[in-house]
Amino acid sequence: MDWFTSLCLGIRYYINYKLMKKRVKQYVHQTQAGGQDHYQVLKEFSRMLDDQIEKIVLFLLEQQGLLASRLQKLGEQREILLEQPDISQVCQLREAYRAVGQDLLKLLRFVDMNATGIRKILKKFDKRFGYRFTDYYVTTRANHPYSQLQQVFKHVGIGAVVGALSRNLADLDHQGSCLSIYDQPSIPLKDPVIEQINASVDRLTHSTNFLQFIGQHALIAQEDIPSAAEDIVDDHRYHFMSLLLNLANTFLYMVNTYIIVPTADDYSMSLGAAATVCGVIIGSMAVAQVFSSVYFSAWSNKSYFRPLVFSSIMLFMGNLLYALAYDLNSIAVLLIGRLLCGLGSARAVNRRYISDCVPLKIRLQASAGFVSASALGMACGPAIAGLLQTNFKLYLLTFNQNTLPGWVMAVAWIMYLFWLCISFKEPMHDTEEGHTALDADAGSMNNERLENGLLQPMLLSSGSKEKQDEDGDQDFDDSEEASEESRGPATSIASAYRLLTPSVKVQLLIYFMLKYAMEILLSESSVITTLYFSWSTSTVAIFLAILGLTVLPVNAIVGSYLTNMLEDRQILLASEIILLVGIILSFHVTRPYSVPQYVCSALITFVSAEVLEGVNLSLLSRVMSSRLARGTYNGGLLSTEAGTLARVVADGTITLAGYLGEDRLLNVTLLPSLLICLASIIATFFTYNTLY
């Protein structure tokens, strides 16, 4: 039986998701009617799932054998060519090896689709029965020495085929050279087929590197392999300068957020308010961002340029009012200025532009650039504030350490607006007719590839149908076919919330917790260090800048090493525990409160929160419904809202705690961090076995 024939017959080797979904519904009705007890249901469904996984694995092993057989025959041809070199035959042999690589890609898609089906049916069973069946099933199967579940999720044996392909292609490309891929392991083979295979393998194993790890912070959907139609559309919409402008917007906004942190307490006191009012000053920007994220996300459905222009104008006006508040002696003007800055938060537009307009082949790099721009802005904000230690008047305007952050950012946003107007290129937006035409083009291209034997038939029949089914089955179990609405993106916050499984809710809680802990640490740093250590503004700025500069090195270590040695869920739990330790060490229980205690506890808290954020968003992107990967109310918006709300609550807590006295400020603000962290750790334990 040849490869193409075996793939055609392979439809029956897919997980029968539709049958299993019906069986779940039958079990629900039977248990409600008292016809079956829960223990019997668990055993029957476990046996049924075992059978489904077994047929997947046996087919997978059979196809690996066919690939190995083809590689062996190609190896014999290669030996003949080594004795009698022929350039035309070498080219043919190289293409034959690449054809094996393309078929391996089809097999990897087969594994990926079945792995998705297994995850979905486990989640569905948990939801319908209210059990943690996933906990039981994964615990008993995944770690067993004869585990077939591991064969699906770790695709044992694929690596040997990839290795053989890589070595032979490299040898054919460098005929006459004495070196092999084993002599230069740090230099990857630059072959498009091998790169696609490696990307697909990494997606299945969740192995990662630094670039992928920081790219996951952006929570921008990364697809596996682009179709030709998608490539054409992406190339038409992509404009490098426009991408650069979006990254610059991200950087400037983060600078704008943190440039006032070292001086906010001093500014509030100069206007006659308490030092702890700095919490309201810093947090007012986050309050406005809660609302701006939603309308910017919706606006980006129609335009990218106009929202960015509006954002720049709002941020210019906000910073102008922030700077003028000193001479007007008005705390109200200062707060209005910060609210306007929050209303100019276009991070939803920046993220959406990368997701929609950047070609898939460089989307990961763009996502990493988005996160790096945020981290760099976070570090540069306090550092710039530390340099603005001067005091002079120009006409009736005062320029000092309190007002200069506003003046500097106002000038920066005017310059950015000018750059935006002359350089940004509005991409073509999809219309309903455009979608229809694209689908038709994609369909014709797929048919042509099918006729040439290049596209796995399984993916067109069972695969696409089940993919649609898994997108829409969550809330429409009683219908045979999901409606168009059930397959589309969420259309409101309420509909997005209904798509959240317990695992997703726990990950959003963790994201809320880590953002709360980080905001408490950063926002009250100036007040705490002035109270206990009498630090100057410059010293506070240097301290905060150093904290910000740890982001990229920490992510490099975690992304390049830890995530390749440990599972994401293991890193997640360990990071939560270390964060808890950092919070506990931050409490003022001994006198005097020393600088080493504060600095060490702050570093532990901040670094562990950064590590936690990376793995949290990585897991969130995997356990979240695919319907939340697109549209206005997407996963990125939900995580942004959770993080922004955490900042609002944290900054409000600082101001409220100030009424109890500055000497109690530290312990009172740390207590909620401690309780929320404990709650997130407990919640992680309850959902631990669903995080895979």
Side-chain angles (χ1 to χ4, degrees):
M1 184 184 299
D2 65 12
W3 172 261
F4 183 76
T5 305
S6 64
L7 287 182
C8 289
L9 296 175
I11 295 174
R12 60 193 177 95
Y13 294 106
Y14 268 99
I15 181 174
N16 196 333
Y17 182 78
K18 194 169 185 178
L19 173 65
M20 298 192 74
K21 190 174 75 167
K22 287 182 179 178
R23 190 61 59 87
V24 170
K25 290 165 64 178
Q26 290 173 5
Y27 286 147
V28 171
H29 295 316
Q30 289 171 359
T31 51
Q32 288 174 348
Q36 277 189 312
D37 60 33
H38 291 169
Y39 180 78
Q40 184 181 358
V41 167
L42 288 176
K43 288 300 180 184
E44 285 187 13
F45 192 72
S46 297
R47 189 178 301 111
M48 183 179 181
L49 192 52
D50 287 341
D51 291 341
Q52 293 288 320
I53 292 174
E54 183 175 275
K55 75 174 182 181
I56 296 167
V57 170
L58 293 177
F59 179 73
L60 176 62
L61 293 174
E62 178 188 349
Q63 301 309 311
Q64 288 178 8
L66 291 174
L67 288 172
S69 233
R70 291 170 65 189
L71 286 172
Q72 186 176 9
K73 291 177 181 176
L74 292 175
E76 293 171 359
Q77 296 178 32
R78 179 173 163 274
E79 290 295 328
I80 296 172
L81 280 177
L82 287 175
E83 297 176 1
Q84 300 176 346
D86 185 320
I87 294 178
S88 63
Q89 290 186 11
V90 168
C91 292
Q92 291 176 7
L93 186 59
R94 186 184 294 114
E95 291 307 312
Y97 273 115
R98 285 178 179 150
V100 174
Q102 292 290 349
D103 288 335
L104 177 59
L105 275 172
K106 297 167 191 174
L107 190 60
L108 287 170
R109 291 192 188 102
F110 167 80
V111 177
D112 186 29
M113 197 168 295
N114 280 290
T116 300
I118 293 168
R119 290 192 186 100
K120 287 293 294 181
I121 200 64
L122 287 171
K123 289 178 186 176
K124 178 168 288 297
F125 192 95
D126 285 351
K127 178 182 176 182
R128 297 301 297 267
F129 281 87
Y131 293 161
R132 292 200 305 276
F133 174 73
T134 301
D135 294 12
Y136 159 76
Y137 193 82
V138 173
T139 302
T140 55
R141 267 68 172 176
N143 299 319
H144 194 277
Y146 305 129
S147 172
Q148 291 179 326
L149 190 64
Q150 287 286 10
Q151 293 274 351
V152 176
F153 285 100
K154 300 298 183 183
H155 49 275
V156 179
I158 296 288
V161 179
V162 178
L165 279 171
S166 301
R167 185 182 69 84
N168 285 289
L169 280 172
D171 288 350
L172 287 171
D173 288 340
H174 302 95
Q175 277 198 319
S177 172
C178 296
L179 296 176
S180 73
I181 60 171
Y182 304 113
D183 298 314
Q184 298 174 308
S186 61
I187 303 176
L189 177 62
K190 296 295 183 181
D191 187 274
V193 174
I194 298 299
E195 288 176 354
Q196 287 184 347
I197 291 172
N198 287 333
S200 190
V201 168
D202 284 346
R203 179 182 173 184
L204 283 170
T205 57
H206 309 313
S207 66
T208 185
N209 56 33
F210 174 51
L211 188 65
Q212 290 170 311
F213 186 75
I214 62 173
Q216 288 166 344
H217 281 59
L219 205 64
I220 294 168
Q222 303 291 339
E223 300 165 40
D224 190 11
I225 300 169
S227 67
E230 288 170 335
D231 269 341
I232 293 169
V233 173
D234 283 342
D235 288 340
H236 280 304
R237 302 181 73 181
Y238 175 61
H239 181 236
F240 174 74
M241 190 58 70
S242 300
L243 172 61
L244 197 60
L245 281 160
N246 274 278
L247 297 180
N249 184 281
T250 300
F251 169 77
L252 286 175
Y253 185 79
M254 292 305 289
V255 171
N256 211 147
T257 301
Y258 290 99
I259 194 172
I260 72 159
V261 172
T263 58
D265 59 332
D266 186 61
Y267 204 168
S268 63
M269 287 190 293
S270 69
L271 298 178
T276 51
V277 175
C278 69
V280 172
I281 295 172
I282 297 169
S284 56
M285 193 168 175
V287 170
Q289 189 180 340
V290 172
F291 303 99
S292 67
S293 296
V294 178
Y295 69 71
F296 270 119
S297 184
W299 200 353
S300 62
N301 290 327
K302 299 179 180 179
S303 174
Y304 299 101
F305 176 69
R306 289 192 291 273
L308 291 175
V309 170
F310 177 78
S311 165
S312 304
I313 293 172
M314 295 297 287
L315 283 156
F316 166 73
M317 293 172 56
N319 283 290
L320 192 62
L321 289 178
Y322 183 86
L324 291 173
Y326 187 89
D327 292 306
L328 296 174
N329 195 30
S330 172
I331 191 77
V333 172
L334 183 144
L335 291 175
I336 291 171
R338 289 295 286 178
L339 284 169
L340 288 178
C341 288
L343 290 175
S345 171
R347 286 173 65 81
V349 179
N350 307 145
R351 184 185 283 113
R352 187 72 179 273
Y353 183 88
I354 294 172
S355 178
D356 292 351
C357 302
V358 175
L360 190 63
K361 56 191 174 186
I362 61 168
R363 193 176 300 163
L364 185 62
Q365 290 91 326
S367 301
F370 175 84
V371 176
S372 299
S374 298
L376 191 59
M378 184 180 180
C380 287
I384 293 171
L387 299 174
L388 303 178
Q389 303 302 301
T390 186
N391 190 355
F392 63 92
K393 288 185 73 87
L394 188 63
Y395 298 104
L396 299 178
L397 301 177
T398 302
F399 296 86
N400 58 25
Q401 65 175 10
N402 297 326
T403 63
L404 275 171
W407 292 118
V408 168
M409 293 312 302
V411 171
W413 284 112
I414 279 292
M415 294 172 63
Y416 174 81
L417 181 60
F418 178 73
W419 181 24
L420 181 72
C421 291
I422 63 173
S423 300
F424 192 87
K425 179 182 177 182
E426 181 75 83
M428 175 185 64
H429 279 262
D430 291 332
T431 61
E432 187 175 349
E433 292 79 5
H435 274 301
T436 304
L438 176 60
D439 292 341
D441 290 343
S444 63
M445 292 174 71
N446 286 342
N447 289 334
E448 182 181 351
R449 293 170 69 190
L450 176 58
E451 290 172 2
N452 292 328
L454 297 176
L455 183 64
Q456 188 177 139
M458 296 186 295
L459 301 179
L460 290 178
S461 53
S462 171
S464 60
K465 185 175 180 180
E466 291 197 16
K467 188 68 178 174
Q468 293 173 352
D469 191 69
E470 67 104 345
D471 283 348
D473 64 59
Q474 195 159 357
D475 294 310
F476 296 84
D477 290 335
D478 296 328
S479 62
E480 283 299 315
E481 298 296 334
S483 65
E484 285 298 320
E485 182 181 356
S486 72
R487 294 196 295 269
T491 56
S492 66
I493 289 288
S495 62
Y497 182 80
R498 286 195 294 271
L499 292 171
L500 303 184
T501 62
S503 298
V504 175
K505 290 176 182 177
V506 169
Q507 294 309 307
L508 289 174
L509 170 65
I510 293 171
Y511 193 69
F512 178 93
M513 178 272 294
L514 69 91
K515 286 296 182 183
Y516 181 93
M518 290 175 69
E519 190 70 11
I520 288 290
L521 170 65
L522 298 174
S523 295
E524 70 178 13
S525 58
S526 183
V527 178
I528 295 299
T529 54
T530 301
L531 175 65
Y532 290 107
F533 317 127
S534 300
W535 281 7
S536 66
T537 300
S538 297
T539 307
V540 177
I542 293 170
F543 171 69
L544 293 176
I546 291 172
L547 283 181
L549 288 172
T550 62
V551 173
L552 292 179
V554 167
N555 282 327
I557 294 170
V558 176
S560 299
Y561 300 104
L562 289 184
T563 52
N564 290 325
M565 295 186 292
L566 301 169
E567 295 180 19
D568 282 357
R569 57 182 181 174
Q570 294 173 326
I571 302 173
L572 181 86
L573 187 56
S575 300
E576 288 180 275
I577 294 171
I578 295 171
L579 178 57
L580 179 66
V581 171
I583 293 170
I584 293 172
L585 291 177
S586 300
F587 277 91
H588 181 200
V589 292
T590 60
R591 295 186 182 277
Y593 192 57
S594 65
V595 173
Q597 179 186 350
Y598 177 75
V599 171
C600 290
S601 61
L603 279 171
I604 292 171
T605 301
F606 189 83
V607 170
S608 57
E610 276 299 322
V611 173
L612 185 59
E613 182 175 3
V615 292
N616 169 252
L617 292 179
S618 172
L619 285 168
L620 192 59
S621 66
R622 294 209 297 269
V623 300
M624 190 173 281
S625 168
S626 58
R627 289 176 60 192
L628 291 172
R630 55 195 186 275
T632 300
Y633 301 95
N634 53 59
L637 176 64
L638 292 179
S639 62
T640 298
E641 292 291 274
T644 304
L645 187 61
R647 291 173 53 206
V648 171
V649 175
D651 291 323
T653 302
I654 293 171
T655 299
L656 292 175
Y659 289 105
L660 301 176
E662 290 188 1
D663 57 330
R664 297 183 179 180
L665 176 66
L666 181 63
N667 288 350
V668 171
T669 53
L670 285 174
L671 187 59
S673 295
L674 179 67
L675 296 177
I676 300 171
C677 189
L678 283 170
S680 72
I681 291 174
I682 294 169
T684 301
F685 274 112
F686 276 102
T687 59
Y688 185 77
N689 283 324
T690 65
L691 305 175
Y692 60 96

